[in-house]
Amino acid sequence: MASTTFSGPVTSTNGFVGALTGNVTGNVAGSGSITHATTSAINATATATAAEVATGYITSTSAAATAITLPTGTLLGAALGAAKGTVFDLYIDNTGGASTVTIAVATNGILSTAAADTPGSFGDLTVASGVTGLARFTVMFSSATAYVFTRTA
């Protein structure tokens, strides 16, 4: 089967077959896998750009503890083309790092109720280093310029 590129929403009445590649946004259901075609590396304490977060996958290989602050809701919403109801998953890969990575939200970003109520799981914003150093966070937009943030894996 030939490869086809689409620039708008894609819908199927019978599901999709095969692996998804590239920058995938939106809801993905089924048994496929997502491969992030681009990733961003943040190896020192910094505020991530909206473009870095929009890749959906950030790596860190720092030997020192690193804090990554997410961009403002306005910047991130614009980069993702977000509207109320947009949901975006962000993966942090610290398997090559030698110290922890801590995530923080910026203006117009707040921790979800689950994150605030259960800081040891949904609110765990620290990603260990080494083989267990993978985390998934979900960003849910309450408007085009404001998001709620929680750890989901």
Side-chain angles (χ1 to χ4, degrees), residues 83-134:
K84 181 177 182 168
T86 298
V87 178
F88 177 77
D89 284 334
L90 172 62
Y91 297 85
I92 305 295
D93 183 342
N94 192 28
T95 57
S99 192
T100 59
V101 171
T102 302
I103 308 299
V105 296
T107 303
N108 293 340
I110 61 170
L111 294 180
S112 69
T113 300
D117 291 348
T118 317
S121 56
F122 299 111
D124 185 2
L125 303 180
T126 301
V127 182
S129 61
V131 297
T132 61
L134 292 169

Side-chain angles (χ1 to χ4, degrees), residues 41-74:
I42 300 177
N43 296 314
T45 294
T47 296
T49 67
E52 288 171 326
V53 174
T55 67
Y57 202 96
I58 296 175
T59 63
S60 183
T61 58
S62 179
T66 300
I68 299 172
T69 301
L70 298 179
T72 67
T74 300

Side-chain angles (χ1 to χ4, degrees), residues 24-41:
V24 179
T25 60
N27 295 325
V28 179
S31 60
S33 63
I34 297 174
T35 302
H36 290 84
T38 57
T39 63
S40 295

